[in-house]
Amino acid sequence: MTEVFQESEDMTSADAPTEAPALLDLLFAGVLDCAAHVDRDCRYRAVNAAFLEFVGRPRHEVVGHAVRDILGEVVHQSCEQMIEQLRPGETLRREGWLDCGPRGMHYLGRAITALPVAGGVSGFIVILRDLTELHRQQQDIAERIEAQKASEAYHAAIIRTALDAVVVIDEAGIVVDFNPAAVSIFGYSREAAVGSQIADLIIPHALRSAHDTGMTSYLETGVSRVLGKRLELEALRVDGTQIPVELTIADVTLGAKRLFAAHLRDLTAVRAAQAEILRQGEALHQKDKLAALGSLLAGVAHELNNPLSIVIGQAMMLRERITEAATHQLAGEELAQRSAKIESAANRCAKIVRSFLDMARQRKTERQAVPLPHLVREALDLLKYNLHSSAVIVETDVAENLPSLWVDRDQLHQVLINLVINAHQALEEKREGKRRIHIAAEARTEDGVMLLSVSDNGPGIAPDIRSRIFDPYFTTKPQGFGTGIGLAVSRGLIEAHGGALDLDDRPGGGARFVIRLPLALGQHSGESTAPADTVPVPVVSNKRLLVVDDEADIADLLSDMAGQLGFNIVIADSGQSAIARLEQGDFSPTAILCDIHMPGGDGPGFYDWLQKARPELTTRIAFVTGDTLGPAAGRFLARCGCPVIEKPFTPQDIRRILHSLIVQDE
């Protein structure tokens, strides 16, 4: 090698350019990267095929030319700087973007090695590796990784801050993510939840079989009945309590690993709010009914006092006449007439009381076939005194043969009362002319609807408020004289029956409200059930009736009415007395009529004793009470499910209730 090196040192400058390129060509032929021999003046002396392919030129346009001619000024200057820094045999390496002139920007890896000769450097070997595509791919990968990290961080932040619970599971049902909202809602820590079976955490026992079946079916067939749908069901908390949740499930499979994300919203507060809204709506409905009752109270005293005066006066007269009849043998016709007057007046009192009870009581909607003429008469009877005292003339056009309506009788009664009261109050502003209210009904059987209208000839509804009169709490009445909810509640009740309540124009002025309700199919006013007086008298040979009431007069009245049917009567003045009588064991009643509120043992206490000691009698007892509005009485009657009749009652009421008890017993 020394001799070869010395020989090369002895070469003339003329020989070197000829032999060196030939040798380098042989060496460069095996180099895969771009290789070039550059002299001290930065001119190419030898290049390989890879270099020629990179610069896109033939060999004769490259060899002998300066670097700037091939790759531009920037590369030329970079080459000069590296040459200035090199010592013989030394190699410099660089990597980075370079402006390659006509070749554009390239990311190059460069290595320049100085070729030593005696006394200095004869030239330089330049090796170039074009890393542009690789670098761009690396940059792209790096950017993708950063973007993925940013996306994951972004989604993780969303999941962490989500108000709804987010639970991610794999295809085996194992929890792989459990966000803070899920921790808050279900009570499990994230550490305890992740890695656990979802079924063991939040799925109630009753739903686990369906969950397993659905998961297996989806994995096998790809068909699911729950993915992407909003479901409402129960979920389990860590303390074992169940809460209502809204659930959506999505398949979020990533690559080969199948994942499912469940979004769960706790509906506890929503359900509570809905219940409160319902309660408030019912309270609003009740408030409106009480407001309507309040507007009637002015006439109630008069309406009750009149018939009560008749009852008291006629009863006194009857007593006197009976006394006279015993001594003077007066005709029985006058006594019968006075008895009829007492009965009529008493029925009038009872009717008024029952109308108020029907309006005041709170109960669920109960639809039945209701004859409209009878309902209109009931409403007008209740309002008769108020209307008469205000000189309001009521005209009706309601035919007796109209088809029935399939409605809740009390609710339609309330709506009709509200509309007539509104018309009455509007007419109080009328100072001239007669005050009139017109109630009309028309059955449009071809359309399957009944039209019921209530109109008045008062001042009417101003055009600027016509669109607001059905809004809750909107009223034109002075403060303290109206709730502003009557029309809103009335419209709501009618719409709940599939009908409509609207304000129509009335020719000649005033206001006209029209109710549209569907007719009861197959029901007509003449097709009602048999009247009460057709209920058959029960055959009660050797049957006993136990009457339990602390009011002696009521007990005697019940005994008289039942005695006419052939019952043998046993009377007890309290629940405790009834228990004591039954414990004697000398008789078993066929039926029992019992009051609810009594000192010394009330009806509920007596019924509870029967359930334990004489359960066979719990199907033979009926309650007679005047307190169906009381919350305690209402709860008890709902709990026991026994028949009940309200005071005041008639012989037909007693006949009907005893008949039902005997039929049930048989």
Side-chain angles (χ1 to χ4, degrees):
M1 288 296 296
T2 303
E3 293 178 353
V4 172
F5 183 75
Q6 289 176 345
E7 181 180 357
S8 65
E9 289 181 340
D10 294 337
M11 291 181 182
T12 64
S13 58
D15 295 332
T18 302
E19 296 183 7
L23 178 60
L24 289 174
D25 285 342
L26 294 175
L27 294 174
F28 286 173
V31 177
L32 298 177
D33 294 323
C34 300
H37 174 215
V38 181
D39 61 18
R40 296 182 62 84
D41 296 327
C42 287
R43 289 181 179 275
Y44 293 108
R45 293 303 179 186
V47 294
N48 69 348
F51 186 87
L52 294 174
E53 183 180 355
F54 173 70
V55 300
R57 294 191 181 189
R59 186 181 301 275
H60 68 273
E61 291 184 5
V62 175
V63 176
H65 294 272
V67 172
R68 67 169 53 86
D69 298 332
I70 307 303
L71 293 176
E73 188 64 34
V74 174
V75 177
H76 188 97
Q77 292 179 4
S78 175
C79 187
E80 286 182 335
Q81 292 174 2
M82 295 178 70
I83 288 173
E84 290 295 330
Q85 299 174 22
L86 286 172
R87 295 190 298 270
E90 186 179 8
T91 299
L92 285 180
R93 290 179 173 82
R94 296 286 187 272
E95 184 175 312
W97 287 99
L98 271 180
D99 183 0
C100 298
R103 302 299 299 160
M105 295 295 295
H106 282 263
Y107 192 88
L108 301 176
R110 294 169 292 157
I112 300 181
T113 303
L115 294 175
V117 294
V121 175
S122 65
F124 307 90
I125 301 297
V126 179
I127 304 296
L128 299 177
R129 178 171 294 176
D130 188 0
L131 302 175
T132 304
E133 286 302 317
L134 177 61
H135 186 70
R136 285 175 176 166
Q137 291 175 1
Q138 290 174 339
Q139 279 188 316
D140 184 59
I141 292 173
E143 290 173 358
R144 288 174 181 269
I145 292 174
E146 288 300 319
Q148 180 66 24
K149 290 180 179 179
S151 177
E152 291 176 356
Y154 173 73
H155 288 289
I158 292 176
I159 297 301
R160 284 196 307 271
T161 58
L163 298 178
D164 295 335
V166 179
V167 181
V168 181
I169 64 172
D170 62 16
E171 59 187 6
I174 303 298
V175 176
V176 298
D177 200 1
F178 204 75
N179 78 333
V183 172
S184 176
I185 292 174
F186 297 108
Y188 298 97
S189 67
R190 188 176 189 279
E191 293 73 18
V194 173
S196 301
Q197 273 284 345
I198 187 65
D200 297 334
L201 294 181
I202 67 173
I203 299 179
H205 293 279
L207 301 179
R208 291 180 183 177
S209 176
H211 164 76
D212 294 339
T213 302
M215 176 69 82
T216 302
S217 174
Y218 177 70
L219 294 176
E220 292 177 352
T221 66
V223 178
S224 173
R225 293 182 295 176
V226 299
L227 285 183
K229 298 181 180 178
R230 302 172 77 95
L231 307 173
E232 289 190 11
L233 39 77
E234 297 292 312
L236 199 64
R237 297 187 75 255
V238 67
D239 59 3
T241 59
Q242 293 189 20
I243 59 172
V245 296
E246 183 179 29
L247 167 69
T248 60
I249 304 175
D251 187 332
V252 292
T253 297
L254 300 175
K257 188 174 184 180
R258 306 200 70 171
L259 299 176
F260 302 90
H263 294 254
L264 303 103
R265 177 170 298 171
D266 186 357
L267 296 181
T268 303
V270 174
R271 294 282 176 83
Q274 290 173 340
E276 179 63 16
I277 290 172
L278 181 60
R279 189 191 69 79
Q280 292 287 354
E282 293 175 350
L284 186 66
H285 181 194
Q286 186 68 9
K287 183 178 180 181
D288 180 64
K289 290 198 293 185
L290 294 178
L293 288 173
S295 66
L296 301 175
L297 290 179
V300 170
H302 184 278
E303 285 296 290
L304 284 177
N305 284 334
N306 279 348
L308 285 175
S309 297
I310 297 172
V311 170
I312 294 172
Q314 290 291 346
M316 294 176 66
M317 294 289 291
L318 180 62
R319 184 181 60 189
E320 292 176 358
R321 291 295 184 271
I322 290 175
T323 302
E324 294 176 4
T327 58
H328 301 292
Q329 297 182 350
L330 296 178
E333 182 179 352
E334 181 185 354
L335 301 181
Q337 290 176 351
R338 292 190 182 279
S339 298
K341 291 179 180 179
I342 293 174
E343 180 183 358
S344 175
N347 284 334
R348 186 175 168 191
C349 292
K351 185 176 181 181
I352 293 171
V353 171
R354 283 181 176 173
S355 295
F356 273 83
L357 290 176
D358 287 342
M359 290 185 66
R361 63 168 43 96
Q362 290 178 294
R363 58 172 179 76
K364 294 182 178 179
T365 300
E366 296 178 1
R367 298 194 186 189
Q368 56 185 313
V370 176
L372 190 57
H374 181 68
L375 194 69
V376 171
R377 284 194 295 270
E378 281 188 340
L380 293 179
D381 284 346
L382 192 60
L383 298 169
K384 181 169 64 177
Y385 173 75
N386 286 6
L387 295 170
H388 178 72
S389 63
S390 299
V392 176
I393 301 172
V394 180
E395 302 167 337
T396 60
D397 183 10
V398 183
E400 289 295 329
N401 61 349
L402 286 174
S404 296
L405 292 171
W406 189 252
V407 295
D408 183 289
R409 177 187 171 279
D410 292 341
Q411 290 183 357
L412 184 56
H413 183 268
Q414 179 194 346
V415 172
L416 188 57
I417 288 286
N418 283 343
L419 294 179
V420 175
I421 288 175
N422 284 348
H424 175 210
Q425 292 172 343
L427 287 172
E428 290 180 341
E429 302 177 14
K430 185 177 177 64
R431 296 291 178 260
E432 298 180 359
K434 294 183 178 181
R435 301 172 176 177
R436 297 181 183 275
I437 293 177
H438 185 75
I439 301 175
E442 176 189 358
R444 295 184 177 178
T445 54
E446 66 278 4
D447 298 327
V449 298
M450 177 81 76
L451 299 184
L452 174 63
S453 64
V454 178
S455 56
D456 63 76
N457 64 339
I461 309 294
D464 58 330
I465 64 171
R466 289 174 67 92
S467 62
R468 302 178 58 195
I469 60 172
F470 290 104
D471 293 346
Y473 304 108
F474 175 79
T475 180
T476 58
K477 300 169 186 174
Q479 185 173 0
F481 289 89
T483 63
I485 59 176
L487 286 176
V489 171
S490 295
R491 172 175 271 187
L493 292 177
I494 296 300
E495 289 178 346
H497 284 78
L501 171 60
D502 298 298
L503 172 65
D504 283 0
D505 294 326
R506 180 183 182 275
R512 180 173 183 262
F513 289 89
V514 178
I515 298 172
R516 293 173 173 82
L517 283 169
L519 294 172
L521 299 179
Q523 294 287 342
H524 298 279
S525 57
E527 298 177 1
S528 57
T529 57
D533 57 5
T534 63
V535 176
V537 178
V539 178
V540 293
S541 175
N542 298 321
K543 293 183 183 289
R544 290 189 176 185
L545 171 68
L546 174 60
V547 176
V548 187
D549 201 304
D550 62 312
E551 290 283 346
D553 291 341
I554 296 294
D556 290 342
L557 181 59
L558 288 171
S559 298
D560 290 343
M561 292 179 176
Q564 292 179 349
L565 304 178
F567 281 95
N568 295 322
I569 313 299
V570 175
I571 297 178
D573 61 3
S574 69
Q576 289 298 331
S577 297
I579 292 173
R581 187 69 180 83
L582 289 173
E583 285 180 338
Q584 293 178 10
D586 57 348
F587 88 107
S588 179
T590 302
I592 303 173
L593 295 179
C594 181
D595 194 7
I596 289 183
H597 293 293
M598 297 175 290
D602 60 8
F606 177 53
Y607 180 81
D608 292 340
W609 179 85
L610 288 178
Q611 284 186 309
K612 296 178 181 178
R614 300 289 299 275
E616 74 279 3
L617 296 181
T618 58
T619 61
R620 305 182 195 174
I621 187 170
F623 289 92
V624 184
T625 181
D627 184 33
T628 55
L629 284 183
R635 287 193 296 269
F636 166 69
L637 292 173
R639 170 171 65 87
C640 71
C642 294
V644 61
I645 54 176
E646 294 184 79
K647 300 174 183 177
F649 47 81
T650 67
Q652 273 308 124
D653 294 331
I654 302 304
R655 176 182 297 180
R656 185 168 50 252
I657 203 76
L658 291 176
H659 175 68
S660 69
L661 293 177
I662 291 176
V663 170
Q664 184 174 357
D665 180 53
E666 293 175 350

